[in-house]
Amino acid sequence: MLDLPRVIGHRGAAGIAPENTLAGFRAARDAGVRWVEFDVRLTADLVPVGIHDATLARVAGMSGRIARLTADRLATIDAGSWFAPHFAAERVPTLAVALAECAALGLGANVELKCCGIRSRALARRAADVVRSARGVPLLVSSFRPSLLAAFRRRAPDVPRGLLLERLRPGWRATARRLGCVTVNLGAIGLDARKIGAVRAAGFGIVVYTVNDPARAARLLAAGVDSIISDRPDALTSVFS
Ligand code: G3P
Ligand code: MG
């Protein structure tokens, strides 16, 4: 069974360092967390890279869809100074580099596969190939898209999977079971003890995003949540195990 930590850094540690960057992973580790969550999309040349949005607008202040850029071009783009000038050297990491950094830092990784239209299956396959060759990184691969998880499973059946949902909706148990998921990863809004109990009773671990308030995090953990995904892991040290 997966040894989930009580706190997982969201997009690295998005409240204290630029999201989905290696600096963010280091900030998460320095805050004391054992795992980070980060998002993955596919470049034009089919390289999985760590970025949340489909475009560079928010993290690099420029137009350009990730799906139309090569990994080499992406490696030249500053993805850190939007957050603070001293992060100007940060880049959008490839999944391989991100996992190598996790290994070096002793971090586990919740890799979230973002949907990318007709290339979803390619993303699942490419990400599976990278993830399978990662050594020494505890992994949980999650997605809002069941078809992506299914494609990922076909290529890397032994890597644990989590079904991402904003909230429980009809059929969630059957979907999570069909995909062989070990966790259900739920949005925090509207989540209560009854719903947490239902997920646990169905035999799944439960990961909740995104919680930055220590009191709310502590209540969720006391109600049976395994892991809290937070932008501010540095503020949640009181709830670490
Ligand atoms: O994996 C949990 C969370 O990251 C999902 O939402 O939009 O922050 O990727 P988002
Ligand atoms: Mg995410």
Side-chain angles (χ1 to χ4, degrees):
M1 181 56 190
L2 203 54
D3 178 24
L4 286 167
R6 285 162 72 83
V7 177
I8 298 175
H10 185 225
R11 307 183 194 174
I16 52 176
E19 64 186 52
N20 296 323
T21 63
L22 303 188
F25 295 179
R26 289 190 287 272
R29 192 273 317 265
D30 292 348
V33 303
R34 293 196 287 121
W35 279 55
V36 289
E37 182 265 3
F38 58 93
D39 310 291
V40 173
R41 291 182 177 275
L42 209 52
T43 62
D45 50 345
L46 305 182
V47 177
V49 293
I51 190 161
H52 180 274
D53 298 356
T55 76
L56 284 169
R58 194 167 54 82
V59 300
M62 54 192 284
S63 62
R65 297 189 71 78
I66 306 306
R68 290 177 174 249
L69 290 163
T70 64
D72 281 353
R73 170 78 181 107
L74 206 50
T76 67
I77 292 168
D78 164 8
S81 63
W82 70 278
F83 190 88
H86 65 277
F87 288 117
E90 293 306 313
R91 298 291 180 261
V92 173
T94 64
L95 175 58
V97 165
L99 291 177
E101 186 72 5
C102 287
L105 294 170
L107 292 170
N110 173 193
V111 177
E112 183 191 342
L113 303 179
K114 288 294 185 195
C115 50
C116 54
I118 57 168
R119 301 195 317 155
S120 288
R121 227 177 276 168
L123 170 61
R125 283 200 291 261
R126 296 289 175 144
D129 291 346
V130 174
V131 157
R132 277 191 314 187
S133 58
R135 295 279 171 263
V137 182
L139 286 163
L140 177 67
V141 170
S142 57
S143 184
F144 286 109
R145 219 19 112 80
S147 61
L148 253 168
L149 287 175
F152 180 87
R153 180 191 198 181
R154 283 193 289 276
R155 194 84 156 203
D158 297 336
V159 176
R161 293 166 301 281
L163 176 63
L164 255 170
L165 297 166
E166 282 179 22
R167 63 189 70 83
L168 293 181
R169 57 170 189 246
W172 65 268
R173 279 186 199 80
T175 304
R177 283 189 184 132
R178 174 172 58 80
L179 296 167
C181 291
V182 297
T183 64
V184 175
N185 298 17
L186 278 175
I189 295 168
L191 187 60
D192 58 22
R194 187 183 60 79
K195 292 172 186 162
I196 292 167
V199 176
R200 294 208 70 86
F204 299 106
I206 176 164
V207 176
V208 175
Y209 68 93
T210 304
V211 180
N212 299 327
D213 172 45
R216 172 87 167 125
R219 282 196 301 275
L220 287 165
L221 289 164
V225 167
D226 293 293
S227 300
I228 298 290
I229 296 181
S230 179
D231 296 320
R232 290 294 311 274
D234 57 316
L236 265 56
T237 46
S238 61
V239 303
F240 287 5
S241 55

